[in-house]
Amino acid sequence: MPAVAIVSDTTHYLPTDLIKANELHQVSLYVHWQHRQDREIDLPDFDAYYEDLRTAEQLPTTSQPSIGDFLEVWRPLLDEGREIVSIHLSAGISGTHQAGMQARDQLSEAGYDPGRVTLIDSATACGGMGLMLLAAAAAARAGGDGAAVAERARAARDNMKMWFCIDTMEFLRRSGRVGAARAWLGSTLQIKPILTLESEITPVERVRTAGRAFERMVEYLQARHDDGADAYCIQHIQAADEAQKLVERGREVFGADPVFVSEVGPVIGTHIGPGMLGVGAVSSKLLD
């Protein structure tokens, strides 16, 4: 068992087998829909949620973990004598990291040394955060202490590039999470926005068709390959067939399978909607 435990929230959307293999611990965010509140981690799959999202007159809402949620995950790990590196959704779009800071402040009241917990604002989400977690887990398995594990996670963040294309700006508009892409809201063009997340949602470019957006995702993968990033990931929302086609094109570029392919869940999906495709890559040396 590594001396450093890796904790995250649920918005990385790594496949279950990678979560288990890398001994990742999770603090769940919440979704509020159909007059109830669910922990994202407890949803058996996302199909019913997205079916409701497509037709809901009132957009479901999402919320961050409580201080108690953090402490419930952290305390058993600290009781085992371990350090913790806790990596979370961008503070530019969520209060999750701030809730973690408040939870760490409370550790001393319960008799724990808060210095044993290192909190990292990932300044990203989804696949980007997933790659950071895999890098951190690799450093922990290699015997790194909390500082070394945190340094590896930050190095992965500095090295990675992530992009995603969406069907429509409507879900971002309705949720208010449009960020720096706000200028695109008034466009009368039928566009397929391509965005990234650098602390907040940031516009990259607009294309006219879904086919062109798909090809741009492939071109971004090629650019990362050319820059020396050789570990890539693919994510989607209710677009498994398109994601598989992107996997096939990614194999042509990298000569290898992606590190992971997965579906983005409701906490992020509420704000960007079905039809999203996302890609990103990092140097595999950071994951060794």
Side-chain angles (χ1 to χ4, degrees):
M1 180 176 65
V4 179
I6 312 301
V7 178
S8 183
D9 56 72
T10 46
T11 60
H12 51 77
Y13 306 115
L14 286 169
T16 302
D17 60 340
L18 282 182
I19 295 171
K20 292 179 178 178
N22 288 277
E23 300 182 62
L24 303 179
H25 305 268
Q26 299 182 90
V27 181
S28 187
L29 278 80
Y30 294 86
V31 291
H32 309 265
W33 64 303
Q34 292 186 342
H35 308 292
R36 70 175 193 261
Q37 172 180 276
D38 285 327
R39 295 199 316 160
E40 187 176 45
I41 200 171
D42 293 334
L43 294 173
D45 60 55
F46 306 145
D47 291 346
Y49 184 89
Y50 284 128
E51 183 60 33
D52 181 74
L53 181 66
R54 286 185 175 97
T55 58
E57 292 184 7
Q58 183 173 353
L59 197 68
T61 59
T62 62
S63 59
Q64 67 203 40
S66 68
I67 292 172
D69 290 332
F70 275 93
L71 296 178
E72 184 178 351
V73 173
W74 287 349
R75 281 173 174 165
L77 299 171
L78 294 171
D79 287 342
E80 292 173 355
R82 303 171 76 182
E83 289 185 86
I84 293 171
V85 173
S86 209
I87 303 170
H88 296 286
L89 176 61
S90 172
I93 62 171
S94 171
T96 300
H97 180 262
Q98 181 60 34
M101 295 287 284
Q102 293 170 346
R104 188 176 64 179
D105 290 344
Q106 288 195 10
L107 284 175
S108 58
E109 298 176 14
Y112 297 96
D113 176 8
R116 291 167 60 195
V117 178
T118 301
L119 270 161
I120 297 177
D121 171 8
S122 72
T124 187
C126 303
M129 197 160 73
L131 292 172
M132 288 179 68
L133 291 167
L134 296 180
R141 284 195 302 274
D145 61 10
V149 170
E151 182 180 2
R152 178 78 69 88
R154 294 187 179 108
R157 181 65 185 89
D158 291 342
N159 181 262
M160 77 175 61
K161 298 286 186 182
M162 307 294 299
W163 299 270
F164 60 99
C165 58
I166 58 177
D167 268 353
T168 173
M169 296 284 289
E170 180 63 15
F171 291 96
L172 284 172
R173 183 193 67 79
R174 292 175 66 188
S175 71
R177 303 296 177 91
V178 69
R182 183 169 301 280
W184 288 359
L185 288 179
S187 174
T188 59
L189 298 174
Q190 293 296 314
I191 63 168
K192 299 298 179 185
I194 297 175
L195 309 158
T196 190
L197 180 57
E198 296 291 342
S199 294
E200 66 174 4
I201 292 174
T202 304
V204 177
E205 64 177 300
R206 296 179 289 187
V207 297
R208 291 295 188 93
T209 67
R212 182 57 185 149
F214 181 91
E215 290 301 323
R216 287 299 288 144
M217 294 293 106
V218 177
E219 290 166 9
Y220 290 139
L221 287 176
Q222 183 67 60
R224 291 300 288 145
H225 174 271
D226 294 346
D227 286 341
D230 53 350
Y232 69 106
C233 65
I234 293 171
Q235 291 185 309
H236 70 93
I237 298 178
Q238 299 283 284
D241 291 345
E242 289 299 296
Q244 183 55 41
K245 293 176 184 176
L246 200 49
V247 169
E248 293 165 4
R249 298 290 297 276
R251 289 192 187 113
E252 295 174 5
V253 172
F254 291 92
D257 288 333
V259 178
F260 60 88
V261 180
S262 64
E263 184 170 34
V264 167
V267 167
I268 298 298
T270 296
H271 307 290
I272 55 181
M276 184 277 287
L277 282 176
V279 301
V282 71
S283 171
S284 63
K285 294 178 180 179
L286 292 164
L287 307 183
D288 291 340

